[in-house]
Amino acid sequence: MSNFIVKKVAVLGAGVMGAQIAAHLVNARVPVVLFDLPAKEGPKSGIALRAIENLKKLSPAPLGIKDEAGLIQAANYEDDIAQLKDCDVVIEAIAERMDWKHDLYKKVAPHLGANTIFASNTSGLSITGLSDGFDADLKARFCGVHFFNPPRYMHLVELIPTATTQPEILDKLEAFLTTTLGKGVVRAKDTPNFIANRVGIFSILAVFAEAGKFGIPFDIVDDLTGSKLGRAKSATFRTADVVGLDTMAHVIKTMQDNLQEDPFAPVYKTPAVLKGLVDAGALGQKTGAGFYKKEGKAIKVLDAGTGQYVESGKKADEIVVRILKKAPAERIRLLRESTNPQAQFLWSVFRDVFHYIAVYLEQIAGSAADIDLAIRWGFGWNSGPFEDWQAAGWKQVAEWVKEDIDAGKALSTAAMPAWVFEGPVAENQGVHAAQGSWAPATQQFVARSTLPVYRRQVFRAALEGTAAADPRKAGRTVEENDAVRIWVAEGQDDVLVVSFKSKMNTIGPDVIDGLTRAIDLAEAGYKGLVVWQPTSLQLGAPGGPFSAGANLEAAMPAFMMGGAKGIEPFVKKFQDGMMRVKYAAVPVVSAASGIALGGGCELMLHSAARVAALETYIGLVEVGVGLVPAGGGLKEAALAAARAAQAAGSANYLQFLTSRFQNAAMAKVSASALEARQMGYLQDSDKVVFNVHELLHVAQNQVRALADAGYRAPLPALVPVAGRSGIATIKASLVNMRDGGFISAHDFLIAARIAEVVCGGDVEAGSLVSEEWLLALERKAFVDLLGTSKTQERIMGMLQTGKPVRN
């Protein structure tokens, strides 16, 4: 297949979704034009311009760097429509009205390029119906491409063809969406609401129905159906508020309008409480009230019985919480057998969803894998519904579901399909097998897509019951202990990988020893070393932590025995480990996703190169526990400032140090890998990867590129520093902040110690100092602060509550 390079994209419609899709295209460095109707007043493209400006205010932020909103080109259909011919992809994202979309298509179709791919971002309208009126050529280039909200963060994109869509068009789009935009692509059949919304919204409607039947309040439902079930923390009703109750009502109406002969049709009736809220204009988070409402600092929840808002925070019964901690088979059995209403509610919802996906698998999806991945990626479940069923014991659960259907307890009398009870699925005890996932249409297990783009994923998202390799165990282990695993991926024997095994991948003395050993091994027989954490691929939505920093708990015994001075060997060992990374004879590349805080950030700073997923949040955060960064992070800030000053031909080192000082003193964490590059935690040459499943592949190739280019470790050098005059300047501004009540006296002390380190201590401005000099300043500041009662209060508070203490 020839290269498909997307040089320009147009997004039609500057509403919530259109503007945010445009923002994510900018994140991915894809030039984009955002169209909307011509404004009646002011600039002709004013509607699009206002939408672009509004992107800077949204939370969560749709842009990796807010100031890049200006990279989106605003346009209108009157003045700028000729630009469409230069776009490789055009995505329509206007309101969910078939007639409005058809009117727009008549306007833009004549202006599309001969090879332009045209796609609709509809959340549930018929793609075939939308293509009515197109000529044969445009029909062949038209499909659905359904992003989930918010587009930057939601991994799922559904790709929906019609019977006339060219297969090559779909393959090109899937590759672009997967690598360039970082998405998990699921191909859906052209049925109402496709896969994720069809199953996900049914699941929510089942929750409505069963919660009402068993009298479970909304906040208890959310406590039961969130993280305790391995699902999004926002659970059911908080999620509804975030998505927008009008949006949810619209998706439900799509099912009502298009599935009237469906045996589950009565379930698609808009719940009375939802209709009441929408009619009252209480649309959730965007209007300030929905199922939940914030009054002052209090969060209140709607009482379904009275229609009034009451105090929220009610929790699930302890007996049910204990059941949910059991293994899947025992958990489902105990929920079904329990007389507790909350347990019965949960069993009923499980049963309803299992019933629904069995009945509709053939109609809505190519295979069971498509349903599980769509729900995991689109609704934030750690495991899909078929995976839950299979893990709980396929045959037994199927019999229980049938019993409830026969007894009239289910939401529909629709019979379970025969393949559930007999044939290959029954013999396999589930829909996922080593050879693939069940496809009722062909009556066989089918393998996942083999498009070339998936060769970039060393470990694809795994499904329960398939032959997918577990990244924590896969490949060939070279050495392993309780702290780290040192290994090579299958067929990648030239690059060594080290993965940490500590909680949140924190770095203690044992991890430092393991990292040092990995470098020794890499120098002895490999092109280099990648530091990569496999935990991110174990979750429904990828992107686990790179490292939460130094393991403070591991240091506590030394502190208890020797006080603050007893910690110094721990700090020195950490620093030595970072220097071993920096001066390794082969390149050490950090491959990061999720959080890279404190020591995790310092590990990245000392690496030869960094590869970071877009959603990597990097920062030196030690001030939160009353300490200064002491793993070489401040030393690297001083070095970076000196390099920047020298490149600019300036001797004003403080000018180039200020932002780096502020980042550490304010514990600022990047909101994306793109912002981390702005902050100096990533270099311009470092790679930002949009699909976290490609992180290891890109990092391995980065090691090879460095090695093949003749990599040599940097030579240690003396660096000029800002000295005592720089310290005095920073302290003067800190005094103003302290005296103005903006920071506490202890905050002042910590920030002053950071200033002393990054400025190189009590020396003349421009003095040349060594890295060891700067590391010694870090150690002293760290140990001195650890000896203060205020810092000890902060550390104990963090260890006990996980939250920073302000004192």
Side-chain angles (χ1 to χ4, degrees):
M1 189 166 64
S2 60
N3 277 358
F4 177 57
I5 300 172
V6 177
K7 296 177 183 175
K8 191 175 184 181
V9 173
V11 178
L12 311 181
V16 173
M17 283 301 290
Q20 291 198 60
I21 291 169
H24 193 58
L25 286 159
V26 163
N27 289 336
R29 299 302 182 255
V30 178
V32 59
V33 187
L34 180 62
F35 279 83
D36 212 300
L37 296 167
K40 293 177 181 176
E41 296 178 359
K44 204 77 167 288
S45 297
I47 295 173
L49 285 167
R50 284 192 294 274
I52 291 166
E53 187 63 26
N54 191 53
L55 289 169
K56 301 176 186 177
K57 305 170 189 173
L58 295 180
S59 179
L63 289 153
I65 299 172
K66 287 186 179 182
D67 291 345
E68 291 187 343
L71 295 178
I72 302 170
Q73 182 183 343
N76 68 82
Y77 299 120
E78 283 187 7
D79 295 346
D80 308 301
I81 202 162
Q83 290 193 43
L84 293 175
K85 72 178 186 301
D86 300 322
C87 295
D88 302 293
V89 178
V90 174
I91 300 171
E92 170 269 307
I94 69 169
E96 293 286 272
R97 285 267 304 263
M98 184 80 78
D99 55 339
W100 291 358
K101 290 178 187 285
H102 278 151
D103 287 345
L104 178 62
Y105 295 173
K106 288 174 189 173
K107 186 184 297 181
V108 302
H111 300 276
L112 298 174
N115 298 306
T116 299
I117 296 174
F118 190 29
S120 174
N121 182 57
T122 177
S123 60
L125 296 178
S126 166
I127 305 302
T128 302
L130 288 172
S131 70
D132 285 349
F134 290 173
D135 61 29
D137 178 60
L138 186 53
K139 278 189 174 182
R141 292 183 278 123
F142 183 72
C143 63
V145 54
H146 179 210
F147 289 82
F148 274 63
N149 190 25
R152 169 182 162 184
Y153 301 94
M154 297 304 292
H155 193 58
L156 177 65
V157 170
E158 291 175 313
L159 197 54
I160 311 102
T162 69
T164 55
T165 308
Q166 283 181 0
E168 184 180 291
I169 293 293
L170 298 170
D171 292 350
K172 287 178 175 179
L173 261 183
E174 185 162 349
F176 170 69
L177 291 164
T178 300
T179 287
T180 305
L181 299 188
K183 299 304 173 188
V185 175
V186 170
R187 296 199 187 188
K189 295 186 179 181
D190 189 11
T191 55
N193 288 342
F194 314 129
I195 296 175
N197 275 343
R198 178 75 175 269
V199 176
I201 293 298
F202 172 81
S203 171
I204 291 171
L205 289 169
V207 168
F208 270 107
E210 304 296 357
K213 187 187 302 180
F214 291 99
I216 315 294
F218 296 133
D219 49 353
I220 292 182
V221 169
D222 277 356
D223 193 45
L224 287 166
T225 60
S227 54
K228 291 182 174 68
L229 280 191
R231 299 181 184 176
K233 188 177 179 182
S234 54
T236 303
F237 298 110
R238 285 188 190 278
T239 297
D241 277 356
V242 171
V243 169
L245 303 191
D246 52 339
T247 302
M248 178 170 288
H250 173 80
V251 177
I252 294 170
K253 190 173 187 307
T254 302
M255 296 167 82
Q256 292 168 8
D257 293 346
N258 296 284
L259 298 169
Q260 294 175 6
E261 304 304 315
D262 190 305
F264 285 85
V267 185
Y268 306 149
K269 183 181 178 182
T270 305
V273 64
L274 177 61
K275 184 177 185 303
L277 287 168
V278 173
D279 289 347
L283 307 181
Q285 188 170 282
K286 59 190 171 187
T287 61
F291 289 103
Y292 293 88
K293 181 180 182 182
K294 190 170 184 180
E295 293 185 1
K297 292 187 176 181
I299 303 291
K300 294 194 170 183
V301 66
L302 187 69
D303 183 307
T306 66
Q308 301 299 309
Y309 288 95
V310 298
E311 294 298 324
S312 69
K314 294 184 289 294
K315 298 294 183 184
D317 291 345
E318 184 56 35
I319 188 170
V320 180
V321 174
R322 288 202 297 269
I323 290 173
L324 293 178
K325 293 177 180 177
K326 303 287 186 183
E330 189 177 4
R331 178 173 62 212
I332 292 291
R333 178 182 64 80
L334 290 172
L335 289 173
R336 181 176 179 272
E337 292 176 354
S338 173
T339 58
N340 183 288
Q342 295 177 17
Q344 280 294 299
F345 157 74
L346 285 174
W347 156 248
S348 299
V349 173
F350 274 117
R351 174 203 64 216
D352 297 338
V353 174
F354 295 160
H355 184 192
Y356 195 78
I357 59 176
V359 169
Y360 290 108
L361 170 58
E362 182 172 357
Q363 185 184 120
I364 68 174
S367 77
D370 295 330
I371 286 182
D372 278 345
L373 291 172
I375 291 297
R376 278 165 49 173
W377 293 340
F379 279 78
W381 295 18
N382 282 358
S383 54
F386 275 122
E387 291 179 287
D388 289 341
W389 183 352
Q390 186 159 337
W394 182 268
K395 183 179 178 182
Q396 179 63 79
V397 172
E399 289 172 355
W400 286 337
V401 173
K402 184 177 184 301
E403 281 180 27
D404 277 11
I405 297 169
D406 294 344
K409 295 180 180 179
L411 295 179
S412 167
T413 57
M416 298 271 273
W419 58 260
V420 171
F421 300 101
E422 57 193 45
V425 171
E427 292 165 15
N428 180 65
Q429 285 293 298
V431 291
H432 300 305
Q435 62 269 41
S437 299
W438 183 247
T442 58
Q443 292 287 296
Q444 60 185 353
F445 295 96
V446 297
R448 304 263 293 277
S449 169
T450 56
L451 285 175
V453 68
Y454 293 111
R455 294 176 199 152
R456 296 172 57 83
Q457 299 186 10
V458 181
F459 300 105
R460 292 178 73 174
L463 288 158
E464 173 79 27
T466 65
D470 182 341
R472 295 168 298 182
K473 302 173 184 174
R476 176 174 61 84
T477 298
V478 176
E479 286 186 16
E480 185 171 12
N481 56 35
D482 291 341
V484 302
R485 177 176 180 239
I486 304 169
W487 56 287
V488 290
E490 188 172 344
Q492 312 271 341
D493 283 351
D494 57 336
V495 177
L496 199 61
V497 183
V498 61
S499 302
F500 304 165
K501 296 166 69 176
S502 51
K503 184 179 180 182
M504 299 291 284
N505 302 317
T506 53
I507 306 171
D510 52 351
V511 171
I512 292 291
D513 288 340
L515 181 59
T516 302
R517 175 62 180 158
I519 294 170
D520 292 342
L521 291 168
E523 289 177 339
Y526 298 87
K527 287 188 172 180
L529 176 69
V530 172
V531 184
W532 178 78
Q533 317 298 6
T535 50
S536 59
L537 303 186
Q538 303 308 305
L539 304 175
F546 177 69
S547 174
N551 186 344
L552 286 176
E553 288 187 76
M556 290 311 289
F559 176 73
M560 298 304 289
M561 291 180 64
K565 289 295 286 182
I567 295 291
E568 188 162 3
F570 173 93
V571 180
K572 180 70 164 64
K573 180 168 189 146
F574 198 108
Q575 292 180 338
D576 290 346
M578 296 302 102
M579 294 292 276
R580 182 74 177 95
V581 168
K582 182 172 183 175
Y583 290 105
V586 294
V588 177
V589 173
S590 285
S593 68
I595 57 172
L597 304 178
C601 173
E602 288 169 319
L603 173 54
M604 294 181 72
L605 289 171
H606 286 84
S607 299
R610 290 138 293 274
V611 176
L614 174 67
E615 302 308 333
T616 308
Y617 313 112
I618 308 172
L620 297 170
V621 296
E622 286 80 355
V623 298
V625 287
L627 295 167
V628 300
L634 299 182
K635 178 258 299 180
E636 286 298 309
L639 268 59
R643 287 193 299 269
Q646 288 168 337
S650 171
N652 184 359
Y653 303 109
L654 185 60
Q655 175 188 344
F656 297 91
L657 193 59
T658 303
S659 64
R660 291 175 170 85
F661 161 78
Q662 289 174 343
N663 289 340
M666 298 171 65
K668 186 177 179 185
V669 177
S670 72
S672 68
L674 299 176
E675 188 179 46
R677 185 180 277 156
Q678 269 194 335
M679 294 168 67
Y681 291 138
L682 296 179
Q683 303 302 312
D684 288 343
S685 57
D686 291 332
K687 309 301 179 191
V688 174
V689 175
F690 276 66
N691 195 318
V692 74
H693 294 286
E694 298 181 357
L695 194 61
L696 179 56
H697 166 83
V698 175
Q700 289 169 322
N701 282 343
Q702 188 72 350
V703 164
R704 294 185 184 105
L706 289 167
D708 292 348
Y711 177 80
R712 299 290 302 178
L715 290 172
L718 298 177
V719 292
V721 291
R724 65 175 70 93
S725 60
I727 297 170
T729 302
I730 293 174
K731 279 187 176 180
S733 65
L734 291 174
V735 166
N736 292 333
M737 293 179 71
R738 181 195 62 197
D739 293 350
F742 297 104
I743 60 174
S744 70
H746 199 56
D747 291 330
F748 172 86
L749 175 62
I750 299 163
R753 298 307 298 263
I754 292 174
E756 289 167 10
V757 178
V758 295
C759 292
D762 188 16
V763 295
E764 290 292 330
S767 295
L768 297 175
V769 302
S770 67
E771 287 184 84
E772 287 300 336
W773 170 270
L774 294 167
L775 288 172
L777 291 175
E778 283 188 359
R779 282 198 308 278
K780 185 173 189 326
F782 186 96
V783 171
D784 288 350
L785 285 167
L786 188 56
T788 67
S789 60
K790 295 282 190 185
T791 285
Q792 291 167 20
E793 287 172 14
R794 291 192 182 190
I795 292 172
M796 293 311 297
M798 180 64 76
L799 291 176
Q800 290 169 3
T801 68
K803 296 178 181 178
V805 173
R806 305 313 306 165
N807 57 8

